[in-house]
Amino acid sequence: MSDTAGQGSLLDELPGDLMMWVLIISELLVFGAGLAAFLALRLTDPVGFAEAQDHLHRTGAALNTVVLVTSGFLAAKAFQWRGLGARLKARLALVVAALLGVVFLIIKGAEYADKAAKGIDFETHPFFLFYYMLTGFHAAHVVAGVVILCLIAWKDSLRNIEVGAAFWHMVDLVWVLLFPVIYLLA
Amino acid sequence: MLRDPLNKAWFALVALSGASAVVAELAIGGLDRRVVGAVVLLLALMKARVILSRYLGLAEAPSWRRGFNLVLTLFCLLLLGLYLIPALIS
């Protein structure tokens, strides 16, 4: 009985919605497995992986990191401001956060377009299979996040903002782990 | 301005991102790639910890924060190990 009560209090300690944390942990596990598999596959051809990585735009990806962490900052501020009753400020922060999500997608799209122009696709090298799979899956989460940010800017209850912003922070968290492994670890 | 933990977190994340870019450039300049790999992953771990603590609010849940930090640290060590194997066997 006391164990159950203890577990309850530990779960109660978690900020926000429990199901959102289940989602965050699930996504981290999926992307974590993908990144580990990527580096494990690299063992078979480290030189080929390094050569393939030289085709990536590190500057654009680094810029995207700043764009995403700034967007996450605005989503976190929106929750703080909504809690203080500054509703308009919170909504504006969410809209700007969503726009920064769109900026991320534009930079990512330009990167994909450049690869396509050079004839680089999934089959060019195993590196690019993982590159497209992991960054593409992440970009799909960014699209979902932009939609969610717009929804919570519209339906702006404190709980909605907390849950929606948590999803966006998860997207941010995945990117800060994905970026160095795919773009920097040659 | 830096009294707000969220503002501090944002500055820290931007600074850590800049540091990652600088370290990656040093690798192109000839710095030992094993050192670069370790530093880049350490910086990524630090960014992840800031996001979990400040953006996701785990600073208010120390037990969970410790758990997440432990798992993330082990995961980054796994990545570092996988990254270093080719350099160690060549």
Side-chain angles (χ1 to χ4, degrees):
Chain A
M1 190 71 183
S2 60
D3 280 354
T4 311
Q7 283 169 6
S9 63
L10 188 62
L11 285 180
D12 289 343
E13 202 186 296
L14 261 181
D17 190 278
L18 176 62
M19 285 303 114
M20 184 50 71
W21 280 101
V22 171
L23 178 70
I24 290 170
I25 292 169
S26 309
E27 297 282 357
L28 286 176
L29 288 173
V30 170
F31 278 99
L35 292 173
F38 170 80
L39 284 179
L41 188 63
R42 175 179 169 273
L43 296 175
T44 62
D45 180 18
V47 175
F49 267 62
E51 284 171 3
Q53 195 186 57
D54 282 340
H55 291 281
L56 301 186
H57 287 280
R58 292 190 178 95
T59 311
L63 179 64
N64 256 349
T65 306
V66 175
V67 168
L68 218 49
V69 298
T70 304
S71 179
F73 166 73
L74 288 170
K77 288 300 269 188
F79 175 62
Q80 191 183 61
W81 283 329
R82 183 68 180 87
L84 295 170
R87 199 170 170 185
L88 181 63
K89 220 170 158 182
R91 281 181 148 167
L92 278 175
L94 289 168
V95 170
V96 177
L99 288 173
L100 286 173
V102 173
V103 170
F104 178 95
L105 290 169
I106 290 169
I107 294 172
K108 181 61 59 193
E111 195 183 318
Y112 286 160
D114 178 64
K115 299 286 159 300
K118 288 178 177 165
I120 295 172
D121 62 22
F122 289 92
E123 294 175 350
T124 305
H125 187 276
F127 174 93
F128 288 107
L129 175 66
F130 274 83
Y131 161 76
Y132 280 117
M133 199 171 67
L134 290 169
T135 61
F137 191 41
H138 178 264
H141 282 75
V142 175
V143 172
V146 168
V147 173
I148 288 170
L149 288 171
C150 292
L151 278 174
I152 60 176
W154 175 35
K155 299 284 185 188
D156 66 335
S157 70
L158 191 59
R159 182 181 151 75
N160 284 350
I161 293 179
E162 184 176 35
V163 175
F167 179 89
W168 194 236
H169 299 321
M170 179 269 290
V171 173
D172 214 352
L173 183 58
V174 167
W175 179 254
V176 299
L177 294 170
L178 191 151
F179 164 65
V181 176
I182 302 285
Y183 289 83
L184 302 181
L185 291 185
Chain B
M1 188 180 177
L2 279 181
R3 259 180 285 172
D4 185 333
L6 273 180
N7 295 358
K8 258 194 231 175
W10 179 76
F11 276 111
L13 287 168
V14 172
L16 290 168
S17 301
S20 295
V22 169
V23 172
E25 283 302 313
L26 289 176
I28 296 165
L31 187 66
D32 189 328
R33 285 180 183 267
R34 288 169 294 188
V35 176
V36 171
V39 174
V40 158
L41 282 172
L42 176 67
L43 292 168
L45 176 64
M46 289 167 74
K47 281 187 270 186
R49 289 174 61 136
V50 170
I51 290 171
L52 281 165
S53 288
R54 296 300 173 194
Y55 284 10
L56 279 161
L58 286 191
E60 309 298 322
S63 306
W64 286 98
R65 183 171 63 173
R66 275 195 297 277
F68 269 91
N69 285 347
L70 175 67
V71 174
L72 271 176
T73 303
L74 292 174
F75 174 66
C76 286
L77 285 173
L78 168 72
L79 295 181
L80 182 62
L82 288 168
Y83 174 68
L84 290 179
I85 287 172
L88 294 174
I89 59 176
S90 63

